[in-house]
Amino acid sequence: MSRRPQTEIAILGALSIGPMTGYELRAAITDVLGDFWHESFGQIYPTLATLEESGSVRRATPGRTSGSRFEITSAGRAVLRERLAEPHTAPPPRNALLLRLFFGSELPPGRAAELLRAEIDRATTALGRFAAIRAEVVAEPESEARTFRSLTLSYGEHHARAHLTWAREALAALPQDV
Amino acid sequence: MSRRPQTEIAILGALSIGPMTGYELRAAITDVLGDFWHESFGQIYPTLATLEESGSVRRATPGRTSGSRFEITSAGRAVLRERLAEPHTAPPPRNALLLRLFFGSELPPGRAAELLRAEIDRATTALGRFAAIRAEVVAEPESEARTFRSLTLSYGEHHARAHLTWAREALAALPQDV
DNA sequence: TTTCCCATGTAATCAGTTACATGATTAA
DNA sequence: TTAATCATGTAACTGATTACATGGGAAA
């Protein structure tokens, strides 16, 4: 199998939009993909080095070591397309919130309600953020890229709404003394 | 911080229902928590050993090494309650499906639709499974444990429905030539 | 008697985070 | 000139999976 790290996909994907330094890469990933993807510097820099070695990316301003932007090569674009097409296997589920709620009867009094209220806050905040992004996306000119951006945003919207509804219902269903 | 592995919580939680061998533990976790939690043997056995050493669990039939069930001790119950009450930090998001869809314009033709159809299947299957569990839960006598079981099940139902709706909408929104 | 399931465990490996160390550039 | 931000990188660690090795017991 030898599943290569998905960090490569995220980096190549981000560089397919435009050249960036490692630092900018991390900021871009956090900004744009932050709701469903994450990279740390500890992953970005080593991965960038191996991608450079394999010829998938190159320095836009060679010579300089600090502050030089990386750009994707045509070989890199091919790798990106390949890697994107690979089947993805969902990692085994590990939902810390549900694990706690499942054994909720062992939780101190009030803690379950507290957990649910935190989820309501989180989902509400997320929905506000999504609404702002939605306004931006709607204003963009029609393009294939926009379709896919809209589609991932829609995922966030649907799931956040479901999460909010669930948490409210669950909170209401909780016995008073728990 | 020193966040201890959550495997301990899952194991102690499962043993709080009744004594089990490592093998049964894994089966129980897969059966009952399978939709939102997972443990592998490579985690279960070493964790069971450290839990035994720290006095959180003990062998129900001492002497025998193979096939002896582990039971939770009162110290173990205290540890479980403590660990459940700890704040949980959600791991950074890494949604492989969305990463692929976001860069969907780099996907080979038809692949995006294929991914979405697979999600529709997955969500549909999950909803069927949840319906069967729901029927069981409804039949159970009222108890605090049932409330929490119902609450985690409801999470699955809400999210699976949202997922299905999203995937169908997204599939319909996809341009024909993509 | 062979096959399947129950059962336990370890070693290698992996993807990823965190903490740390360091330095360049820019704005106040 | 000092503080903030931009920028790069490494080492240690961690939580976890996977593959492998082994063997008992039951049933076909």
Side-chain angles (χ1 to χ4, degrees), chain B residues 93-113:
Chain B
R94 289 203 137 220
N95 188 323
L97 171 68
L98 287 204
L99 183 64
R100 276 156 185 78
L101 286 178
F102 187 85
F103 297 115
S105 35
E106 303 285 337
L107 242 29
R111 186 84 178 97

Side-chain angles (χ1 to χ4, degrees), chain B:
Chain B
M1 253 269 188
S2 93
R3 309 208 75 308
R4 301 260 295 295
Q6 312 211 74
T7 295
E8 287 188 4
I9 303 182
I11 289 183
L12 290 174
L15 290 182
S16 79
I17 315 288
M20 281 180 254
T21 66
Y23 192 87
E24 289 168 339
L25 216 28
R26 145 78 179 238
I29 289 171
T30 303
D31 274 19
V32 182
L33 314 177
D35 282 297
F36 57 85
W37 202 259
H38 172 89
E39 293 295 345
S40 66
F41 286 130
Q43 285 286 101
I44 287 177
Y45 287 111
T47 304
L48 227 25
T50 61
L51 285 174
E52 189 183 17
E53 206 182 344
S54 71
S56 291
V57 306
R58 83 165 84 82
R59 284 171 205 271
T61 46
R64 308 184 51 194
T65 52
S66 185
S68 73
R69 294 205 165 74
F70 287 90
E71 60 186 13
I72 191 168
T73 64
S74 56
R77 277 190 189 274
V79 170
L80 173 60
R81 273 189 224 106
E82 238 172 71
R83 299 290 317 273
L84 279 174
E86 277 176 12
H88 68 283
T89 48
R94 289 203 137 220
N95 188 323
L97 171 68
L98 287 204
L99 183 64
R100 276 156 185 78
L101 286 178
F102 187 85
F103 297 115
S105 35
E106 303 285 337
L107 242 29
R111 186 84 178 97
E114 205 181 306
L115 288 173
L116 290 170
R117 274 192 292 269
E119 291 306 310
I120 291 174
D121 284 354
R122 193 167 314 189
T124 305
T125 307
L127 281 173
R129 193 171 54 248
F130 293 154
I133 304 174
R134 175 59 74 193
E136 279 176 38
V137 170
V138 167
E140 273 176 43
E142 160 64 24
S143 76
E144 206 177 283
R146 190 190 71 161
T147 300
F148 286 106
R149 210 138 55 227
S150 165
L151 193 152
T152 49
L153 177 57
S154 165
Y155 175 99
E157 291 165 341
H158 273 101
H159 277 264
R161 274 197 299 266
H163 200 71
L164 187 57
T165 308
W166 163 76
R168 281 183 180 147
E169 275 181 27
L171 191 58
L174 232 44
Q176 289 313 301
D177 55 330
V178 166

